[in-house]
Amino acid sequence: MLLWMGILGMAVPNFDVLIVGAGPAGSSAAKAAALKGVEVALVEEHPRVGEPEHCAGLIHERDLKNLGGYPERLVEARVREVKLVVGSRAELWLKQDFTVLDRRGFDEFLALEAVKAGAKLYTGWRAEGMEANGGGLREPVKVKVKDVSGGGGDSYVASKMVVGADGFKCGVGRWFGIKPEMELATCIQSWVKPNPLSSSRVMEVYLGREYAPGGYAWIVPSSNDTAKIGLGVRGVREPAIAYWRRLLERWKGLEVERVIGHCVPLSGPLERTYGDGFLLAGDAAGQVVPSSGAGIATSITCGGIAGEVAAEYVMGNLDEEEGLSRYERLWRARLGGKFQACLEIRRLLESVEPGEVEAIRDAFGHIGTLDFSPTKLLGPAVKLLVKRRSLIRLLPLLFKARRHGFF
């Protein structure tokens, strides 16, 4: 059980930094700001951090190592091979190292780390709007919060700085006049048993209009006997749940334990993720890998940067000319190239016609990894162009994937 703190009935509490949303971005921002010594409030609308779960909990091993330590108990499975099914005629096997996390437990772990650093966590409270301060720079704003846990009542929190980590709806950004233009994928995920995969070290990804138009489908091991099956779609006429039902028909005798739905932004980061008195991080800023919808690692990284910059801002330590733009400069220097490359990768993959799939399989099916050197790329690339000259447009994809990954 994580720390719960009530607001109702209190005099308007004042904080240096208010963070809305206790997902990976928000908790990371809260921890980073608290470690700087400022007063931090982390507000989460759900009664329990991590609920409902919003993704498969899949993270590349290299990203997980870069993020630091985590309890081993949060690992559900370790994937070492990916079976990529393209259309109805081609399969590629890729040697890639992923970790499947207990996403609910992982979010709780991150929030508890923020609390240990000194942040105050308020669960069951939804931030609904703000009142302008009418004052000068770094003057507190009043944010209205509503008790959604059943206790009833509204209250206010005052803060000099607000970090919006409240998901794709970008509520905080809208308070401050941001009009987010995001291309969203509608996602459905289910937990099923028994696990239909051949091994808990294998995951499967399905590309093609017949599976998930405008997106892809996945089956990820959750344990030896359970799995997560889901998909994300864009630009479709049918509800996403209809595609999910058809996907499940590929496996017989599955028991569906639960199903969730959510949306993921796939158009890359917002043009602007800061303004007077606010920063945006995670899904709220569009900081999601466009080619895969992955967002855990990028949210933690950008959230950490947001927390540090927010703290420096309220302490008056930022260069007056640069100000809060420092946040955008730092995260773009760290991840801007990856976001742009993966957006181009996604668009290139979406341009592949069914008749071109087999040529790709024949050229690259034997390599077994996406992390290969230019010398290994040369032979398959020539073979690919001999068979299908139209695929010359995909060559930049291979080099971008090698440099930035696609997940």
Side-chain angles (χ1 to χ4, degrees):
M1 177 67 69
L2 286 175
L3 174 66
W4 181 90
M5 298 188 65
I7 303 175
L8 191 62
M10 299 170 57
V12 177
N14 279 273
F15 294 94
D16 294 315
V17 180
L18 171 66
I19 297 162
V20 180
S27 291
S28 299
K31 177 181 177 180
L35 288 174
K36 289 281 187 179
V38 300
E39 291 292 322
V40 179
L42 176 60
V43 177
E44 167 58 44
E45 66 174 317
H46 298 99
R48 180 174 178 178
V49 172
E51 291 186 348
E53 295 177 65
H54 289 305
C55 76
L58 194 68
I59 184 170
H60 201 283
E61 194 71 26
R62 66 170 180 271
D63 293 327
L64 193 57
K65 289 178 180 177
N66 291 337
L67 295 175
Y70 58 93
E72 186 65 23
R73 61 179 171 79
L74 298 178
V75 176
E76 294 184 338
R78 296 193 187 278
V79 170
R80 294 296 176 259
E81 285 190 293
V82 180
K83 178 183 177 182
L84 182 63
V85 181
V86 186
S88 58
R89 294 178 290 179
E91 293 182 3
L92 295 173
W93 284 86
L94 311 172
K95 293 187 182 299
Q96 293 283 293
D97 295 336
F98 291 97
T99 295
V100 184
L101 295 168
D102 168 6
R103 179 58 195 275
R104 180 173 61 190
F106 188 69
D107 282 12
E108 285 188 324
F109 165 73
L110 294 176
L112 186 55
E113 289 291 293
V115 171
K116 289 179 179 177
K120 293 180 173 63
L121 173 65
Y122 298 83
T123 59
W125 291 86
R126 182 172 61 234
E128 294 197 326
M130 73 163 193
E131 294 182 6
N133 57 38
L137 197 64
R138 298 183 186 86
E139 287 297 314
V141 297
K142 286 176 64 177
V143 175
K144 180 181 178 181
V145 292
K146 182 177 181 63
D147 179 7
V148 294
S149 63
D154 301 338
S155 190
Y156 288 88
V157 177
S159 180
K160 300 174 186 176
M161 178 75 199
V162 182
V163 177
D166 49 344
F168 74 93
K169 293 182 180 179
C170 194
V172 170
R174 294 177 191 275
W175 302 346
F176 286 92
I178 296 290
K179 296 180 180 179
E181 295 183 3
M182 297 182 182
E183 187 178 4
L184 299 175
T186 303
C187 302
I188 301 289
Q189 180 168 273
S190 56
W191 283 255
V192 304
K193 63 179 184 181
N195 183 354
L197 292 166
S198 60
S199 166
S200 61
R201 297 172 68 84
V202 172
M203 64 177 280
E204 296 180 1
V205 175
Y206 295 81
L207 298 174
R209 299 179 182 91
E210 58 267 65
Y211 304 116
Y216 67 95
W218 62 85
I219 174 168
V220 174
S222 181
S223 67
N224 287 330
D225 58 353
T226 60
K228 304 171 187 179
I229 298 180
L231 52 74
V233 296
R234 293 180 297 118
V236 294
R237 295 182 179 180
E238 292 184 272
I241 195 76
Y243 294 94
W244 170 79
R245 289 193 181 106
R246 285 197 288 271
L247 178 66
L248 248 63
E249 292 174 358
R250 294 178 60 87
W251 302 278
K252 305 300 181 184
L254 293 182
E255 177 185 344
V256 178
E257 296 182 327
R258 56 194 172 103
V259 183
I260 61 167
H262 61 285
C263 291
V264 175
L266 291 181
S267 45
L270 298 181
E271 184 176 343
R272 186 181 177 94
T273 59
Y274 73 97
D276 289 341
F278 77 95
L279 301 173
L280 303 176
D283 284 20
Q287 292 162 338
V288 176
V289 180
S291 54
S292 66
I296 297 176
T298 54
S299 290
I300 291 174
T301 298
C302 294
I305 296 171
E308 290 184 1
V309 172
E312 294 291 342
Y313 171 81
V314 299
M315 291 189 295
N317 293 339
L318 292 185
D319 177 80
E320 288 295 330
E321 183 175 345
E322 184 179 34
L324 289 173
S325 68
R326 175 176 174 80
Y327 165 63
E328 187 145 317
R329 179 177 64 80
L330 289 175
W331 76 251
R332 287 192 186 277
R334 182 81 173 270
L335 289 169
K338 180 181 180 71
F339 287 135
Q340 182 59 39
C342 289
L343 181 60
E344 294 172 13
I345 287 172
R346 195 202 83 194
R347 289 169 176 166
L348 283 169
L349 287 173
E350 290 173 349
S351 74
V352 177
E353 297 295 330
E356 298 172 321
V357 170
E358 289 188 6
I360 297 173
R361 179 198 61 191
D362 292 343
F364 291 96
H366 68 285
I367 292 181
T369 176
L370 282 180
D371 188 21
F372 37 76
S373 66
T375 55
K376 290 184 178 179
L377 281 176
L378 184 59
V382 171
K383 183 178 180 180
L384 183 63
L385 294 180
V386 168
K387 295 197 72 170
R388 287 273 184 169
R389 292 187 178 182
S390 63
L391 288 174
I392 192 172
R393 69 187 189 280
L394 296 185
L395 290 185
L397 179 154
L398 302 175
F399 293 95
K400 290 178 186 292
R402 178 178 179 271
R403 180 178 179 184
H404 298 284
F406 66 95
F407 192 85

